[in-house]
Amino acid sequence: MKYNEKIEMVLSQIAEVAGYLWEKGWAERNGGNISYNITEYVDDNIRTLSAISEKIELPEAMNALKGSYFVVTGTGKRMRYVNKNLMDNASIIRISSDGTYYEIIAEKNIRPTSELPSHLLIHNYLIGNGRRERAVIHTHPIELVAMTHHAPFLQKDVLSKLLWSMIPETRAFCPKGVGIVSYALPGSVLLAKETIKLLEAYDVVLWEKHGALAIGEDLIEPFDMIDTLSKSAKIYESACSMGFVPKGMSEEQMDELKRVFNL
Ligand code: 2HA
Ligand code: ZN
């Protein structure tokens, strides 16, 4: 199908970022998923499309999403193929006018990701709170996930401080750091709700022993956040494998960055 320029831009960004997730090694098999709220870009070409699926009930009514449109990657679909052939591996869905169910409207009847509850509940929260973020990304970054296997790192803000201290970039570009959700079943509403609680305070949310989730006004922004934190995690790992635990930048050095760059 041919879409307008704005939607084509969204689609090409999803394909681009899906490629990065695969190249990074963060997207084994069907790991990870992406959604993008395109409601403000939708024109009559899309509005008039009829449903190609049955009505699929949402886990709860999403009042802020009534009549909204999303591009979502498909359940069981591989990021490496999302990159190559997006609309064989993703679909456009429309939320009903009462916010209780959705229908797939384009292009093929590709069922949305198993993490749809998290994606849609997060979009519902974002729109409901007047926030500007429209993109949600979930992926499995190796070193960050490894760090969530270590109980001391799960204490409040321990991991943020450690990751900030590995390289100035992380302090500068992830100024709110990482929040951590205790292990919860993938795809569950509980996982979604616990994630939403942390979205205000943190740049990226880590799901214990599972992955990362981030939001942004576009997809590049949350990808970059996860990538930057991941760089810090790799530096930490690299130092440890050289036989020492890195001390990291001092509090004073990090405060100086905060002061100079107004973080
Ligand atoms: O899409 O990553 O969390 C598969 C997953 C589930
Ligand atoms: Zn996952």
Side-chain angles (χ1 to χ4, degrees):
M1 232 177 104
K2 183 94 186 89
Y3 299 99
N4 67 36
E5 210 174 289
K6 294 275 198 201
I7 293 177
E8 286 294 347
M9 185 273 294
V10 168
L11 297 181
S12 79
Q13 225 180 64
I14 294 174
E16 177 188 343
V17 169
Y20 300 153
L21 299 182
W22 168 247
E23 283 161 19
K24 288 269 172 197
W26 300 348
E28 76 293 342
R29 200 173 184 278
N30 62 318
N33 27 73
I34 294 173
S35 67
Y36 208 122
N37 185 341
I38 54 165
T39 311
E40 60 201 319
Y41 302 149
V42 159
D43 54 19
D44 281 345
N45 281 342
I46 291 190
R47 220 168 279 121
T48 53
L49 288 173
S50 36
I52 55 174
S53 73
E54 74 281 16
K55 296 173 179 175
I56 304 166
E57 203 184 329
L58 292 169
E60 61 184 68
M62 305 203 192
N63 289 322
L65 298 185
K66 292 175 177 171
S68 298
Y69 294 79
F70 296 88
V71 183
V72 282
T73 55
T75 186
K77 300 299 182 189
R78 277 107 168 121
M79 284 296 156
R80 59 186 190 268
Y81 303 143
V82 172
N83 168 256
K84 284 207 176 84
N85 200 346
L86 179 65
M87 292 318 273
D88 277 346
N89 296 282
S91 53
I92 300 179
I93 64 168
R94 175 169 51 219
I95 311 294
S96 62
S97 55
D98 66 357
T100 63
Y101 66 90
Y102 70 89
E103 292 166 321
I104 301 170
I105 58 164
E107 289 182 10
K108 298 177 181 162
N109 193 353
I110 307 288
R111 300 278 146 163
T113 163
S114 58
E115 296 291 357
L116 196 68
S118 277
H119 284 260
L120 290 185
L121 284 166
I122 288 168
H123 286 293
N124 190 51
Y125 161 82
L126 294 173
I127 299 290
N129 288 276
R131 303 248 317 226
R132 296 161 54 89
E133 293 90 344
R134 295 290 178 269
V136 176
I137 179 172
H138 160 60
T139 187
H140 300 164
I142 303 164
E143 296 81 3
L144 287 171
V145 174
M147 290 177 113
T148 70
H149 284 258
H150 189 46
F153 291 160
L154 303 179
Q155 308 281 324
K156 190 169 163 34
D157 298 339
V158 168
L159 203 47
S160 290
K161 287 198 179 119
L162 189 156
L163 294 168
W164 282 336
S165 78
M166 288 298 107
I167 184 171
E169 245 67 15
T170 305
R171 184 70 192 89
F173 297 118
C174 299
K176 296 193 209 163
V178 290
I180 302 175
V181 172
S182 302
Y183 182 82
L185 187 70
S188 62
V189 170
L190 173 66
L191 179 58
K193 299 232 154 141
E194 293 300 311
T195 304
I196 288 168
K197 288 185 195 159
L198 300 178
L199 285 179
E200 200 74 54
Y202 299 100
D203 292 316
V204 170
V205 176
L206 294 181
W207 291 346
E208 183 187 348
K209 299 171 189 155
H210 179 169
L213 182 137
I215 58 175
E217 291 184 29
D218 64 16
L219 264 179
I220 304 300
E221 191 188 313
F223 170 79
D224 280 343
M225 291 267 192
I226 299 172
D227 192 30
T228 305
L229 289 161
S230 183
K231 170 60 80 70
S232 275
K234 276 201 190 99
I235 292 168
Y236 180 81
E237 180 204 30
S238 196
C240 291
S241 69
M242 289 172 191
F244 66 96
V245 176
K247 273 179 74 180
M249 291 152 49
S250 65
E251 290 282 349
E252 292 71 38
Q253 288 166 338
M254 290 198 281
D255 285 347
E256 180 189 33
L257 275 172
K258 206 170 155 191
R259 215 173 40 248
V260 174
F261 294 102
N262 244 334
L263 302 171

